[in-house]
Amino acid sequence: RENNDLNITNTVNTLESRLTQMESILVASQNSASADHSVGSELSPASSCLHIKQTSPSSQDGAYFLIGKDGTIYQTYCDMTTAGGGWTLVSSVHEDDMYGKCTAGDRWSSTRGNNINYPGGDGNWANVHTFGSMGSATTDDYKNPGYFSIDATNVMLWHVPNNVPAEGYKTAAYLRYRTSNGFLEQYGGNLYSLFKDHFPIGYNLGTYTHDNGPAIPIVYEQGSDHLVQSLLPPNIVSRNEAIPGFVQFRVFNYENSCTAVCPGVNFVGRNAEQVCIGGGGYWAEHPRQCGDYLGKDWDGYGTGVGWSSNQLVTESVVMFFYR
Protein backbone atom coordinates (compact mmCIF):
# COMPACT_ATOMS: atom_id res chain seq x y z
CA ARG A 1 0.00 0.00 0.00
CA GLU A 2 2.86 2.34 0.83
CA ASN A 3 4.32 1.71 -2.63
CA ASN A 4 0.97 2.48 -4.24
CA ASP A 5 0.70 5.74 -2.31
CA LEU A 6 4.24 6.66 -3.38
CA ASN A 7 3.48 5.88 -7.01
CA ILE A 8 0.31 7.99 -6.88
CA THR A 9 2.27 10.89 -5.33
CA ASN A 10 4.98 10.67 -8.02
CA THR A 11 2.36 10.59 -10.74
CA VAL A 12 0.60 13.66 -9.33
CA ASN A 13 3.90 15.52 -9.06
CA THR A 14 4.77 14.63 -12.65
CA LEU A 15 1.38 15.78 -13.89
CA GLU A 16 1.67 19.04 -11.93
CA SER A 17 5.15 19.65 -13.42
CA ARG A 18 3.91 19.02 -16.95
CA LEU A 19 0.90 21.28 -16.35
CA THR A 20 3.25 24.07 -15.17
CA GLN A 21 5.39 23.62 -18.29
CA MET A 22 2.32 23.77 -20.53
CA GLU A 23 1.13 26.93 -18.77
CA SER A 24 4.56 28.51 -19.31
CA ILE A 25 4.50 27.61 -22.98
CA LEU A 26 0.98 29.03 -23.32
CA VAL A 27 1.98 32.30 -21.63
CA ALA A 28 5.07 32.60 -23.84
CA SER A 29 2.94 31.94 -26.90
CA GLN A 30 0.44 34.59 -25.83
CA ASN A 31 3.21 37.11 -25.15
CA SER A 32 4.73 36.45 -28.55
CA ALA A 33 1.38 36.88 -30.24
CA SER A 34 0.77 40.18 -28.45
CA ALA A 35 4.28 41.56 -29.06
CA ASP A 36 4.65 44.41 -31.52
CA HIS A 37 5.67 43.01 -34.90
CA SER A 38 4.71 46.11 -36.89
CA VAL A 39 7.30 47.55 -39.27
CA GLY A 40 9.51 49.92 -37.32
CA SER A 41 9.19 48.01 -34.05
CA GLU A 42 12.15 46.42 -32.27
CA LEU A 43 11.05 43.00 -33.54
CA SER A 44 10.61 44.24 -37.10
CA PRO A 45 13.06 47.11 -37.76
CA ALA A 46 12.82 48.93 -41.08
CA SER A 47 15.53 50.12 -43.44
CA SER A 48 14.37 53.75 -43.15
CA CYS A 49 11.52 55.93 -41.96
CA LEU A 50 10.39 56.19 -45.58
CA HIS A 51 10.00 52.40 -45.66
CA ILE A 52 7.81 52.59 -42.55
CA LYS A 53 5.68 55.37 -44.02
CA GLN A 54 5.21 53.51 -47.28
CA THR A 55 4.24 50.33 -45.43
CA SER A 56 2.06 52.05 -42.85
CA PRO A 57 0.80 55.41 -44.20
CA SER A 58 -0.87 56.33 -40.89
CA SER A 59 2.48 56.30 -39.02
CA GLN A 60 3.02 59.39 -36.86
CA ASP A 61 6.10 61.39 -35.81
CA GLY A 62 8.18 59.66 -33.14
CA ALA A 63 10.82 57.06 -32.34
CA TYR A 64 11.13 53.91 -34.45
CA PHE A 65 13.59 51.04 -34.82
CA LEU A 66 15.67 50.77 -37.99
CA ILE A 67 18.30 48.34 -39.21
CA GLY A 68 21.49 49.25 -41.06
CA LYS A 69 22.93 47.38 -44.01
CA ASP A 70 25.34 45.62 -41.64
CA GLY A 71 22.48 44.35 -39.47
CA THR A 72 22.86 46.91 -36.68
CA ILE A 73 19.50 47.74 -35.08
CA TYR A 74 19.12 51.27 -33.78
CA GLN A 75 16.38 53.63 -32.66
CA THR A 76 15.92 57.06 -34.16
CA TYR A 77 13.36 59.79 -34.74
CA CYS A 78 11.09 59.76 -37.79
CA ASP A 79 9.26 62.81 -39.12
CA MET A 80 6.20 61.20 -40.67
CA THR A 81 4.26 64.36 -41.55
CA THR A 82 6.50 66.94 -43.26
CA ALA A 83 5.94 66.99 -47.04
CA GLY A 84 4.48 63.48 -46.99
CA GLY A 85 6.68 62.16 -44.18
CA GLY A 86 9.28 59.42 -44.18
CA TRP A 87 12.23 61.54 -42.96
CA THR A 88 14.94 59.75 -40.94
CA LEU A 89 17.03 61.59 -38.34
CA VAL A 90 20.61 60.46 -39.05
CA SER A 91 22.79 62.98 -37.21
CA SER A 92 23.07 66.16 -35.20
CA VAL A 93 25.90 68.66 -34.75
CA HIS A 94 26.16 70.04 -31.22
CA GLU A 95 28.74 72.41 -29.75
CA ASP A 96 29.31 71.29 -26.18
CA ASP A 97 32.02 73.82 -25.32
CA MET A 98 32.75 76.92 -27.40
CA TYR A 99 35.80 77.62 -25.25
CA GLY A 100 37.26 74.17 -25.82
CA LYS A 101 38.60 74.35 -29.38
CA CYS A 102 38.80 70.96 -31.13
CA THR A 103 38.53 69.03 -27.87
CA ALA A 104 36.74 65.82 -26.82
CA GLY A 105 33.23 66.89 -27.85
CA ASP A 106 34.12 68.15 -31.33
CA ARG A 107 33.44 64.93 -33.24
CA TRP A 108 32.34 66.74 -36.41
CA SER A 109 35.70 68.51 -36.69
CA SER A 110 38.63 67.32 -34.55
CA THR A 111 39.01 65.97 -31.04
CA ARG A 112 42.83 66.23 -31.30
CA GLY A 113 43.35 69.96 -31.29
CA ASN A 114 44.21 72.34 -34.12
CA ASN A 115 46.83 70.16 -35.75
CA ILE A 116 48.24 70.33 -39.28
CA ASN A 117 49.08 66.62 -38.97
CA TYR A 118 45.34 65.90 -39.00
CA PRO A 119 44.15 68.14 -41.85
CA GLY A 120 40.89 66.23 -42.19
CA GLY A 121 40.19 66.16 -38.47
CA ASP A 122 38.38 63.09 -37.14
CA GLY A 123 36.84 62.43 -40.56
CA ASN A 124 33.36 61.59 -39.25
CA TRP A 125 31.60 63.21 -42.21
CA ALA A 126 33.05 60.46 -44.41
CA ASN A 127 33.47 57.35 -42.23
CA VAL A 128 31.24 54.71 -40.64
CA HIS A 129 31.82 55.57 -36.98
CA THR A 130 28.67 56.15 -34.93
CA PHE A 131 28.13 58.02 -31.67
CA GLY A 132 25.46 59.49 -29.42
CA SER A 133 21.80 58.52 -29.27
CA MET A 134 18.48 59.73 -30.61
CA GLY A 135 17.30 60.83 -27.17
CA SER A 136 20.40 62.95 -26.55
CA ALA A 137 20.62 64.53 -30.01
CA THR A 138 20.23 68.04 -28.53
CA THR A 139 22.79 67.52 -25.77
CA ASP A 140 25.58 65.80 -27.68
CA ASP A 141 26.75 64.98 -31.19
CA TYR A 142 24.77 62.19 -32.83
CA LYS A 143 25.43 59.90 -35.79
CA ASN A 144 23.62 56.62 -36.44
CA PRO A 145 24.11 53.90 -39.10
CA GLY A 146 21.50 55.54 -41.31
CA TYR A 147 23.97 58.34 -42.04
CA PHE A 148 25.99 56.00 -44.27
CA SER A 149 23.56 53.14 -45.02
CA ILE A 150 20.33 54.82 -46.17
CA ASP A 151 19.95 55.60 -49.85
CA ALA A 152 18.24 59.00 -49.99
CA THR A 153 17.47 61.76 -52.46
CA ASN A 154 17.06 64.81 -50.20
CA VAL A 155 18.05 66.20 -46.81
CA MET A 156 16.17 68.17 -44.20
CA LEU A 157 17.76 70.33 -41.48
CA TRP A 158 16.28 71.43 -38.16
CA HIS A 159 17.77 74.08 -35.87
CA VAL A 160 16.74 73.11 -32.33
CA PRO A 161 17.78 74.72 -29.01
CA ASN A 162 20.00 72.60 -26.78
CA ASN A 163 18.54 70.23 -24.18
CA VAL A 164 15.13 69.76 -25.82
CA PRO A 165 13.78 66.19 -25.30
CA ALA A 166 12.98 64.05 -28.32
CA GLU A 167 9.23 64.58 -28.16
CA GLY A 168 9.80 68.32 -28.46
CA TYR A 169 12.31 68.42 -31.34
CA LYS A 170 9.85 69.44 -34.00
CA THR A 171 7.86 72.04 -32.09
CA ALA A 172 11.02 73.62 -30.63
CA ALA A 173 12.78 73.96 -33.99
CA TYR A 174 12.90 77.61 -35.07
CA LEU A 175 14.22 76.66 -38.51
CA ARG A 176 13.11 73.60 -40.49
CA TYR A 177 13.93 73.36 -44.17
CA ARG A 178 14.55 70.71 -46.82
CA THR A 179 15.93 70.22 -50.28
CA SER A 180 13.51 69.06 -52.96
CA ASN A 181 15.53 68.54 -56.14
CA GLY A 182 16.87 65.04 -55.41
CA PHE A 183 20.49 66.25 -55.39
CA LEU A 184 21.80 63.30 -53.35
CA GLU A 185 21.22 60.99 -56.32
CA GLN A 186 24.22 62.66 -57.97
CA TYR A 187 26.45 62.02 -54.97
CA GLY A 188 25.88 58.42 -53.90
CA GLY A 189 22.60 58.77 -52.03
CA ASN A 190 23.80 60.21 -48.72
CA LEU A 191 26.18 62.72 -47.14
CA TYR A 192 28.69 59.99 -46.35
CA SER A 193 29.20 59.37 -50.07
CA LEU A 194 29.03 63.07 -50.92
CA PHE A 195 31.98 63.85 -48.65
CA LYS A 196 33.91 60.61 -49.15
CA ASP A 197 33.75 60.36 -52.92
CA HIS A 198 33.03 63.86 -54.21
CA PHE A 199 33.89 66.67 -51.78
CA PRO A 200 36.50 65.50 -49.24
CA ILE A 201 37.12 67.66 -46.20
CA GLY A 202 40.58 68.82 -45.25
CA TYR A 203 42.97 71.70 -45.05
CA ASN A 204 44.46 72.96 -48.33
CA LEU A 205 42.31 70.79 -50.59
CA GLY A 206 40.98 73.84 -52.41
CA THR A 207 40.18 77.54 -52.32
CA TYR A 208 37.04 79.49 -51.49
CA THR A 209 36.98 81.01 -54.98
CA HIS A 210 37.07 77.78 -56.99
CA ASP A 211 36.46 74.63 -54.97
CA ASN A 212 33.42 74.99 -52.73
CA GLY A 213 30.83 72.23 -52.96
CA PRO A 214 27.22 72.42 -54.14
CA ALA A 215 24.76 74.99 -52.76
CA ILE A 216 21.30 73.40 -52.87
CA PRO A 217 18.07 75.48 -52.79
CA ILE A 218 15.83 74.83 -49.80
CA VAL A 219 12.09 74.85 -49.06
CA TYR A 220 11.15 76.25 -45.65
CA GLU A 221 8.75 74.38 -43.38
CA GLN A 222 9.52 76.73 -40.50
CA GLY A 223 11.35 80.02 -40.93
CA SER A 224 12.32 82.18 -43.89
CA ASP A 225 15.23 83.84 -45.68
CA HIS A 226 14.63 86.85 -43.45
CA LEU A 227 15.00 84.78 -40.27
CA VAL A 228 18.15 83.08 -41.56
CA GLN A 229 19.71 86.45 -42.38
CA SER A 230 18.76 87.87 -38.98
CA LEU A 231 20.70 85.04 -37.32
CA LEU A 232 23.93 85.68 -39.25
CA PRO A 233 26.81 87.65 -37.68
CA PRO A 234 26.44 91.36 -38.57
CA ASN A 235 29.79 91.51 -40.40
CA ILE A 236 28.73 88.64 -42.66
CA VAL A 237 25.53 90.49 -43.55
CA SER A 238 27.23 93.85 -44.15
CA ARG A 239 29.80 92.23 -46.45
CA ASN A 240 27.19 90.15 -48.33
CA GLU A 241 29.13 86.94 -47.72
CA ALA A 242 26.10 84.64 -47.35
CA ILE A 243 22.93 84.25 -49.42
CA PRO A 244 19.97 82.74 -47.49
CA GLY A 245 17.82 80.03 -49.04
CA PHE A 246 20.36 77.24 -49.51
CA VAL A 247 22.33 74.53 -47.76
CA GLN A 248 25.92 74.19 -48.95
CA PHE A 249 28.52 71.45 -48.51
CA ARG A 250 32.34 71.62 -48.25
CA VAL A 251 33.21 75.31 -48.12
CA PHE A 252 36.71 76.76 -47.76
CA ASN A 253 37.74 80.00 -46.08
CA TYR A 254 40.41 82.49 -47.15
CA GLU A 255 43.23 80.45 -45.58
CA ASN A 256 42.09 77.23 -47.34
CA SER A 257 40.77 75.68 -44.14
CA CYS A 258 37.63 73.63 -44.71
CA THR A 259 34.11 73.69 -43.26
CA ALA A 260 31.61 70.88 -43.83
CA VAL A 261 28.13 72.42 -44.03
CA CYS A 262 26.75 75.95 -44.32
CA PRO A 263 23.18 75.61 -42.95
CA GLY A 264 20.61 77.85 -44.58
CA VAL A 265 23.00 79.72 -46.88
CA ASN A 266 25.11 79.71 -50.01
CA PHE A 267 28.40 81.06 -48.69
CA VAL A 268 30.10 83.34 -51.22
CA GLY A 269 32.65 85.11 -49.02
CA ARG A 270 36.00 84.34 -47.41
CA ASN A 271 34.99 83.93 -43.75
CA ALA A 272 33.04 80.67 -43.78
CA GLU A 273 34.21 79.79 -40.26
CA GLN A 274 31.83 82.41 -38.85
CA VAL A 275 28.70 80.74 -40.27
CA CYS A 276 29.34 77.15 -41.34
CA ILE A 277 29.75 74.10 -39.08
CA GLY A 278 32.08 71.11 -38.76
CA GLY A 279 35.02 70.45 -41.01
CA GLY A 280 38.71 69.72 -40.93
CA GLY A 281 41.29 69.64 -38.16
CA TYR A 282 43.57 72.53 -39.03
CA TRP A 283 42.74 76.25 -39.10
CA ALA A 284 45.65 78.22 -40.42
CA GLU A 285 44.61 81.69 -39.27
CA HIS A 286 43.99 80.92 -35.61
CA PRO A 287 43.26 77.90 -33.32
CA ARG A 288 40.14 79.75 -32.11
CA GLN A 289 38.47 78.79 -35.38
CA CYS A 290 38.78 75.06 -34.66
CA GLY A 291 35.74 73.10 -33.44
CA ASP A 292 32.26 72.02 -34.47
CA TYR A 293 30.99 75.61 -34.33
CA LEU A 294 34.30 77.04 -35.49
CA GLY A 295 34.59 80.82 -35.05
CA LYS A 296 31.00 81.63 -34.07
CA ASP A 297 32.36 83.28 -30.88
CA TRP A 298 35.04 85.40 -32.58
CA ASP A 299 33.76 88.65 -31.03
CA GLY A 300 32.46 87.11 -27.84
CA TYR A 301 30.28 84.16 -26.87
CA GLY A 302 26.70 84.64 -28.02
CA THR A 303 27.09 88.40 -28.44
CA GLY A 304 25.64 88.67 -31.96
CA VAL A 305 28.04 91.52 -32.74
CA GLY A 306 30.85 91.79 -35.26
CA TRP A 307 31.79 88.28 -36.37
CA SER A 308 29.91 86.48 -33.56
CA SER A 309 26.66 84.55 -33.71
CA ASN A 310 23.96 85.26 -31.14
CA GLN A 311 23.29 83.01 -28.16
CA LEU A 312 20.37 81.17 -29.78
CA VAL A 313 22.53 80.02 -32.69
CA THR A 314 25.47 79.13 -30.46
CA GLU A 315 23.29 77.10 -28.09
CA SER A 316 21.37 75.12 -30.70
CA VAL A 317 22.00 71.90 -32.58
CA VAL A 318 21.62 71.33 -36.31
CA MET A 319 19.83 68.06 -37.09
CA PHE A 320 20.10 66.22 -40.40
CA PHE A 321 17.37 64.02 -41.88
CA TYR A 322 17.28 61.87 -45.03
CA ARG A 323 14.47 60.88 -47.32
Side-chain angles (χ1 to χ4, degrees):
R1 181 175 178 179
E2 290 180 359
N3 287 337
N4 287 339
D5 289 345
L6 181 61
N7 288 336
I8 291 172
T9 299
N10 289 339
T11 300
V12 169
N13 289 339
T14 299
L15 289 172
E16 287 180 341
S17 176
R18 290 180 177 176
L19 180 61
T20 299
Q21 290 176 356
M22 292 177 65
E23 288 175 342
S24 297
I25 292 171
L26 179 61
V27 169
S29 176
Q30 290 173 337
N31 288 341
S32 177
S34 62
D36 186 3
H37 290 272
S38 60
V39 176
S41 67
E42 191 169 10
L43 294 176
S44 184
S47 58
S48 69
C49 297
L50 181 58
H51 177 206
I52 298 171
K53 188 67 175 178
Q54 290 171 335
T55 304
S56 180
S58 63
S59 298
Q60 297 300 304
D61 297 346
Y64 293 84
F65 286 92
L66 304 183
I67 185 168
K69 289 181 178 178
D70 65 351
T72 300
I73 296 174
Y74 60 99
Q75 188 179 37
T76 194
Y77 183 91
C78 295
D79 177 349
M80 296 302 202
T81 50
T82 297
W87 297 91
T88 304
L89 174 64
V90 297
S91 63
S92 70
V93 181
H94 169 267
E95 179 54 71
D96 71 321
D97 181 10
M98 281 298 298
Y99 301 111
K101 298 298 182 176
C102 281
T103 50
D106 291 313
R107 298 181 185 90
W108 292 108
S109 51
S110 174
T111 59
R112 296 175 287 193
N114 188 56
N115 194 328
I116 196 170
N117 295 310
Y118 301 107
D122 285 13
N124 284 318
W125 294 97
N127 65 30
V128 295
H129 297 164
T130 60
F131 39 81
S133 67
M134 179 269 295
S136 62
T138 60
T139 61
D140 199 1
D141 291 328
Y142 177 45
K143 180 185 175 190
N144 65 42
Y147 178 85
F148 48 82
S149 66
I150 290 175
D151 292 321
T153 59
N154 286 291
V155 298
M156 179 167 64
L157 278 65
W158 291 3
H159 297 235
V160 184
N162 290 347
N163 303 315
V164 172
E167 61 270 19
Y169 289 167
K170 192 171 192 176
T171 55
Y174 53 91
L175 279 172
R176 290 187 288 115
Y177 49 85
R178 59 186 172 85
T179 64
S180 61
N181 63 0
F183 81 101
L184 280 177
E185 292 179 307
Q186 305 174 53
Y187 303 116
N190 49 51
L191 296 182
Y192 162 77
S193 294
L194 181 147
F195 288 116
K196 180 176 180 291
D197 301 325
H198 302 275
F199 300 99
I201 292 172
Y203 171 65
N204 224 20
L205 293 181
T207 67
Y208 81 97
T209 55
H210 294 91
D211 301 297
N212 289 344
I216 311 300
I218 57 176
V219 176
Y220 291 100
E221 300 293 336
Q222 173 72 33
S224 63
D225 285 353
H226 177 74
L227 178 57
V228 169
Q229 179 142 325
S230 73
L231 296 171
L232 296 173
N235 286 359
I236 295 295
V237 175
S238 65
R239 297 178 183 222
N240 298 312
E241 292 200 29
I243 304 171
F246 299 84
V247 57
Q248 190 171 14
F249 304 95
R250 212 277 296 271
V251 176
F252 294 96
N253 71 358
Y254 181 72
E255 295 82 21
N256 299 342
S257 296
C258 186
T259 70
V261 180
C262 298
V265 300
N266 173 14
F267 204 86
V268 295
R270 53 193 284 175
N271 297 287
E273 71 278 0
Q274 317 302 150
V275 173
C276 308
I277 60 176
Y282 182 64
W283 296 83
E285 182 181 7
H286 201 288
R288 283 182 56 201
Q289 296 173 345
C290 202
D292 286 356
Y293 275 17
L294 307 170
K296 289 181 181 289
D297 62 343
W298 190 257
D299 285 317
Y301 180 96
T303 60
V305 301
W307 297 105
S308 281
S309 295
N310 65 24
Q311 190 169 349
L312 177 62
V313 171
T314 306
E315 297 181 358
S316 295
V317 302
V318 179
M319 294 180 166
F320 291 79
F321 292 76
Y322 289 164
R323 188 178 70 178

